[in-house]
Amino acid sequence: LRQVSDLSDFSRGHWLRELLCRREEPSHVQSSPDGQHLLLLQKSRPPTLPRVVAFEHHSIAGADLERSWQPPQPGPVGLLFLQSPGAPRSWVLAVVWEHGRTEVWHFVVALGWQLLQTLELCQGARARVVSVCSQGASLVWCEERPPLGAHSDVSKCAFRFCVCARALEVGEQGVRLGTVRIVLHNSPEYQVLASPQHVFLVPAAAGFATTSKFLLIWHPEKAEFTITAPSAGFIHSKVLRSSSESDFRKLLLGSVGLLSGFAPLDIHTSTVSNSGGLLLVSTKGSVSMVEPDGTQRHIFDLEGGPLAQGSPVQLKTFGSILACVLAGVLYLINQNSGRLVEKEVLSMKEVHFLESQGEEDSIHLLSQTGIYSFSFSKSEDSSRPEPCLVEMVFEEACRYYQRRSLSSSKLTVEKLKKGGTFQAPVVLAAILQHSFHQKQKPAQDLQDTYAKLLSTVSLELQSYMSLELLKACVVCAPESEVESYCKELVEQEVSRILQSDMDKDNLAYLNSVFASFPKAAWKAIRSCLQLQQNGDGLLVARATPEVWKKVLCQPQLEEVGQNGMVPLFELICASFLRFKPKWLPNFVELTQQYISSSWSYSSKEGPEGRVPLYKRALGVLARKNKHSEADDEMELELLLCSKRPKAVLQALHLLIRLKQWQRVVEVAEKFSKLSPLLNKEIFITLLAEFAQHRELDPYLDRLWPLCPAELTASDILTVVLQHLPHSQEDPMPFSREGNELTVGLLKPLLQRVVQRPSVQDEMYSDALQSTTFPPPTPPREH
């Protein structure tokens, strides 16, 4: 730490030091955008009055700003610096009081602080502001609107707050407030925190348990609210088209049942980062970032165990570095990688972050003894250029060896780094460090064994580095280019996972990729399987056997379904249904061809040993929300492409139910050739239909040739009699409707059966026509 000021260069510096040294309520310190002014909000106990005091750098002369109040009078709830539209470098200070009065101050050189105007922010006289922030040229606040009468219903009193927005314009004619915009009414109490384009609504600590299970994110430009329960992975967005839809209960309509099952949010401290995300610190010391789209990303875990309710945590971001002060310890954390860059024990307990004017690689801290600067550029870049990947090697090795260890002792990264039993992670870490440190030098400094291994994994290293570069591009790219980067990123990630073990974690990751980027995942899987149409219009795949095995991998039942996770084959089938439905039956057929060439037909080890592929594909089809005629056609195609007897018969019954008699006959002719047993089942099914109605009469000349050789005339008559429709009237010799079965319709079939030789005649025909009778005795083996 380097001291840059002892506070003597501030106006009334001795008083500033005195206020900072008081052991009372925690102070709130804020610096002006130009760094020339410090505002101190001091909450004191009687007899000392609480006050807001401004201190000027370089002892600039002029009128001072000091405002105090006598409790229980309402105090200030926000000190906001607002940019003046007329002059880019000009700003004003808005002091917002609890009862809604807003004082707009302006600092003029040689004159000091001047009160421009006093405004009433709230419309109701009984309103009370509980939280306020500035979003662009507008003020956004949460106010309490007490009910007119005394309510006995506690739930009604809980929803007495309202979130409002109002433009504040500073011009040459003075300060003007715009009309009040109701953002959300009938809501619980929220703390409002603004980023450049969004406003985060964090539930107050004293709120109801039912409303403290989620965050709200308001997007002013889109008039849209995002409801997110980050730890549970729940995100739902809703556009508010009219003021009537801005009711809190209407906003949650449709999500209440799901949200009620979530655990309450664990929030100790919250603030907004310079990237526009919401930084959250839990009571367990876990630091995470909630993005404007509602997704959450874990960053770091602070040391020291659970945090007490009154223990302050200071947070501020400087570029990609997150600075955090807890219990006199300064942590510098890389927001992108979550790695600890520096840890410094401070000699002072209470510090405040200040804006670092023009210095992106340093942090300014205000303490009781002065202002200090801490530079982190050298500590971040000089020691280890790529510590993230090296650390990941040891962490992954820990998990790998721990799963396979019979010992009860816990394996740690420190033990692995010392070497000894497990040499693989040490060798790989040395190769990685050498590769990143010596990019311009040959690998002659490495041992021969290391150099050989480096040449082996060089392509993997290049692939990893290109993937990390692509991820950085996605983070930094403008919104118009994000989609193209995401497509490439998803393709690389899907390809990487298909080359690794398909365990539960990888499968869950693939599920999230397919859910978040469905179109990109579809294109990625087409590329990995090399799916394309040949000249005949048939689907072909040139994937390797290893990739096919990953596609067909089916985890244990207890690993699937508990969290909505589905196997990869089902994910691919769902993508086919969404983007290329007509290819799905061909894909199932291709997969079956690979199985038949790799596993025996009834092997229990193969994928078909448990659930046939066509049934898995039908399961995906059944999960569709709306069923249409195209789905019936898809079901038929999936059943028929399997060529399994049960599936073919199921398809035949489906066609009969749909009364598609032309296709019924076509399917019967095609699949009767597969096996005699299937031929017999198909013919008996159609014979039963023939006995019940006259729809098949035009196709009898195509049906009778399908009659199996083992069926006799008595067998045929038995089937027909069993399936004749039961008539409620007295039997008559001639039907009035003309749709009854007659002997004349059956005559061609019966003649065909009677005239052909029996099965027994065919069995003995060879023996009877032999030149020698009886046949010679076969030679005996001695």
Side-chain angles (χ1 to χ4, degrees):
L1 286 175
R2 179 175 57 89
Q3 188 175 28
V4 296
S5 172
D6 60 357
L7 304 183
S8 61
D9 52 347
F10 279 84
S11 61
R12 301 174 294 171
H14 63 284
W15 192 28
L16 173 59
R17 190 180 295 108
E18 180 184 342
L19 289 176
L20 291 172
C21 290
R22 289 182 180 177
R23 300 293 181 182
E24 295 178 346
E25 295 292 330
S27 304
H28 173 73
V29 177
Q30 196 167 342
S31 61
S32 62
D34 57 6
Q36 298 300 311
H37 306 268
L38 280 180
L39 265 77
L40 180 67
L41 174 59
Q42 184 77 37
K43 296 181 180 180
S44 305
R45 297 189 183 96
T48 307
L49 295 179
R51 67 190 74 231
V52 175
V53 188
F55 300 91
E56 285 69 50
H57 200 206
H58 302 305
S59 302
I60 304 173
D64 297 326
L65 172 60
E66 182 178 348
R67 301 283 281 111
S68 61
W69 64 98
Q70 180 71 48
Q73 291 180 356
V77 292
L79 306 175
L80 306 173
F81 288 100
L82 306 174
Q83 294 292 335
S84 179
R89 295 186 180 181
S90 178
W91 50 266
V92 295
L93 170 67
V95 182
V96 183
W97 297 78
E98 190 176 321
H99 50 56
R101 189 175 73 242
T102 302
E103 300 174 359
V104 181
W105 294 80
H106 181 54
F107 186 85
V108 181
V109 179
L111 296 178
W113 288 96
Q114 305 291 318
L115 179 62
L116 292 179
Q117 202 163 343
T118 300
L119 307 165
E120 291 298 331
L121 193 61
C122 304
Q123 288 182 324
R126 302 173 69 245
R128 182 178 69 92
V129 178
V130 294
S131 175
V132 64
C133 65
S134 61
Q135 208 279 327
S138 299
L139 296 180
V140 182
W141 72 95
C142 179
E143 66 178 46
E144 180 185 11
R145 294 182 173 180
L148 295 175
H151 282 285
S152 58
D153 191 352
V154 181
S155 63
K156 289 183 179 179
C157 296
F159 299 98
R160 63 183 184 272
F161 294 86
C162 181
V163 179
C164 309
R166 199 169 189 179
L168 190 148
E169 300 176 2
V170 182
E172 296 179 358
Q173 304 299 326
V175 183
R176 189 175 67 88
L177 279 174
T179 57
V180 176
R181 177 183 179 184
I182 304 298
V183 178
L184 194 66
H185 61 89
N186 295 331
S187 76
E189 182 181 352
Y190 279 107
Q191 178 192 8
V192 290
L193 299 168
S195 70
Q197 296 179 340
H198 312 86
V199 178
F200 295 92
L201 278 66
V202 181
F208 271 47
T210 52
T211 59
S212 61
K213 298 180 178 183
F214 53 89
L215 301 169
L216 296 178
I217 306 172
W218 179 45
H219 310 266
E221 293 184 357
K222 303 177 183 177
E224 181 183 56
F225 262 104
T226 296
I227 310 167
T228 175
S231 59
F234 175 80
I235 300 173
H236 175 68
S237 295
K238 186 175 182 180
V239 178
L240 306 182
R241 296 181 177 85
S242 63
S243 57
S244 62
E245 295 183 355
S246 62
D247 186 273
F248 177 76
R249 279 166 279 202
K250 288 185 179 179
L251 177 66
L252 296 184
L253 197 63
S255 306
V256 177
L258 192 59
L259 292 171
S260 62
F262 296 153
L265 296 172
D266 182 12
I267 301 176
H268 179 278
T269 306
S270 59
T271 188
V272 176
S273 71
N274 56 5
S275 63
L278 178 67
L279 287 168
L280 298 178
V281 181
S282 70
T283 55
K284 298 177 182 178
S286 175
V287 183
S288 59
M289 172 90 77
V290 178
E291 301 294 345
D293 60 359
T295 57
Q296 185 182 39
R297 177 170 58 89
H298 177 264
I299 296 179
F300 190 74
D301 290 321
L302 299 173
E303 299 174 357
L307 305 179
Q309 188 63 36
S311 58
V313 179
Q314 299 283 340
L315 292 173
K316 193 168 181 62
T317 53
F318 300 86
S320 63
I321 297 298
L322 167 64
C324 177
V325 174
L326 171 63
V329 180
L330 172 64
Y331 299 86
L332 298 183
I333 306 155
N334 189 312
Q335 289 185 86
N336 299 327
S337 64
R339 298 293 163 178
L340 181 65
V341 177
E342 190 72 24
K343 178 182 175 182
E344 184 82 11
V345 179
L346 306 177
S347 58
M348 63 286 289
K349 288 294 181 182
E350 186 176 348
V351 296
H352 305 274
F353 289 114
L354 300 178
E355 296 293 338
S356 302
Q357 298 298 322
E359 300 180 26
E360 297 182 354
D361 58 350
S362 65
I363 296 172
H364 284 187
L365 301 170
L366 172 66
S367 73
Q368 301 165 359
T369 57
I371 298 177
Y372 294 84
S373 174
F374 185 86
S375 177
F376 55 81
S377 58
K378 294 182 179 179
S379 61
E380 180 187 11
D381 297 330
S382 61
S383 58
R384 293 181 297 173
E386 284 291 338
C388 166
L389 181 58
V390 175
E391 288 297 318
M392 285 171 59
V393 168
F394 286 104
E395 291 171 2
E396 182 62 30
C398 267
R399 288 193 292 268
Y400 178 84
Y401 292 128
Q402 195 74 58
R403 286 197 301 264
R404 288 158 177 78
S405 175
L406 298 177
S407 173
S408 59
S409 61
K410 188 176 181 180
L411 191 62
T412 62
V413 172
E414 288 72 21
K415 291 180 181 179
L416 282 182
K417 287 182 178 180
K418 292 178 182 178
T421 309
F422 306 108
Q423 287 294 315
V426 178
V427 173
L428 185 55
I431 290 173
L432 294 175
Q433 286 175 329
H434 177 87
S435 175
F436 292 124
H437 277 286
Q438 311 286 340
K439 289 184 179 179
Q440 306 299 327
K441 298 180 181 179
Q444 57 188 9
D445 298 336
L446 281 174
Q447 301 178 16
D448 291 341
T449 308
Y450 289 16
K452 291 179 181 178
L453 188 54
L454 175 59
S455 64
T456 304
V457 300
S458 59
L459 292 177
E460 296 294 334
L461 280 175
Q462 292 175 15
S463 176
Y464 172 82
M465 292 307 298
S466 64
L467 184 59
E468 290 299 309
L469 180 62
L470 182 58
K471 288 179 180 179
C473 291
V474 171
V475 174
C476 304
E479 192 171 351
S480 58
E481 300 177 8
V482 168
E483 185 177 357
S484 60
Y485 281 125
C486 283
K487 288 180 182 178
E488 187 177 349
L489 179 59
V490 168
E491 184 171 346
Q492 291 195 29
E493 284 290 84
V494 171
S495 175
R496 178 184 64 83
I497 292 177
L498 288 179
Q499 293 173 10
S500 56
D501 294 334
M502 190 57 68
D503 55 14
K504 184 172 64 174
D505 294 336
N506 279 339
L507 185 57
Y509 180 50
L510 269 181
N511 273 258
S512 65
V513 168
F514 273 77
S516 303
F517 308 98
K519 192 171 184 179
W522 158 247
K523 292 184 177 180
I525 208 68
R526 280 186 61 181
S527 175
C528 293
L529 294 178
Q530 300 184 49
L531 293 172
Q532 55 187 354
Q533 282 183 306
N534 60 11
D536 299 329
L538 299 176
L539 185 68
V540 294
R542 295 182 174 86
T544 62
E546 290 300 319
V547 172
W548 276 119
K549 287 182 180 179
K550 302 294 169 46
V551 170
L552 294 168
C553 178
Q554 192 173 6
Q556 298 297 324
L557 293 177
E558 59 269 13
E559 296 180 359
V560 183
Q562 295 181 358
N563 56 353
M565 185 171 62
V566 296
L568 178 56
F569 179 78
E570 277 78 353
L571 285 177
I572 298 174
C573 288
S575 291
F576 271 105
L577 280 176
R578 182 170 182 176
F579 298 104
K580 205 75 172 177
K582 65 179 182 180
W583 282 10
L584 178 57
N586 292 339
F587 170 71
V588 175
E589 196 169 1
L590 279 175
T591 313
Q592 288 180 158
Q593 291 174 6
Y594 166 73
I595 289 175
S596 61
S597 63
S598 304
W599 285 282
S600 59
Y601 182 78
S602 60
S603 173
K604 293 295 181 184
E605 290 78 14
E608 289 272 279
R610 281 181 274 184
V611 181
L613 292 181
Y614 80 92
K615 286 190 176 181
R616 293 173 65 178
L618 287 173
V620 176
L621 181 64
R623 284 194 287 269
K624 286 186 66 176
N625 294 329
K626 296 181 179 180
H627 193 81
S628 61
E629 294 182 4
D631 295 332
D632 288 333
E633 186 65 29
M634 179 60 66
E635 183 179 352
L636 282 169
E637 293 296 328
L638 290 173
L639 289 169
L640 295 175
C641 76
S642 69
K643 299 180 181 178
R644 285 174 167 253
K646 288 184 178 180
V648 172
L649 290 173
Q650 186 178 342
L652 196 67
H653 285 291
L654 179 58
L655 286 171
I656 291 172
R657 180 167 57 84
L658 296 174
K659 301 185 183 303
Q660 297 184 14
W661 305 111
Q662 174 73 24
R663 291 194 63 188
V664 166
V665 176
E666 292 173 356
V667 169
E669 289 178 331
K670 179 179 179 181
F671 291 94
S672 291
K673 303 172 184 177
L674 293 181
S675 71
L677 184 60
L678 181 59
N679 179 22
K680 182 178 179 181
E681 292 289 340
I682 290 175
F683 184 78
I684 291 177
T685 300
L686 296 184
L687 188 60
E689 289 296 319
F690 163 75
Q692 297 176 47
H693 50 74
R694 307 276 57 80
E695 301 290 346
L696 286 171
D697 289 359
Y699 310 99
L700 294 182
D701 55 339
R702 297 169 62 182
L703 288 184
W704 298 153
L706 302 180
C707 180
E710 64 268 21
L711 280 186
T712 62
S714 61
D715 295 333
I716 293 172
L717 292 175
T718 300
V719 173
V720 169
L721 291 174
Q722 286 176 348
H723 293 87
L724 282 175
H726 298 285
S727 176
Q728 301 296 330
E729 302 176 358
D730 294 334
M732 298 177 64
F734 300 102
S735 174
R736 296 174 182 175
E737 299 179 0
N739 59 356
E740 296 292 334
L741 176 62
T742 63
V743 177
L745 293 173
L746 268 177
K747 184 177 179 181
L749 174 62
L750 295 175
Q751 286 180 338
R752 186 184 188 91
V753 172
V754 171
Q755 291 174 0
R756 70 184 176 197
S758 66
V759 177
Q760 291 183 348
D761 292 343
E762 292 179 357
M763 291 173 56
Y764 296 108
S765 60
D766 293 339
L768 293 173
Q769 294 174 7
S770 176
T771 54
T772 58
F773 185 81
T777 304
R780 295 182 179 179
E781 297 181 0
H782 299 284

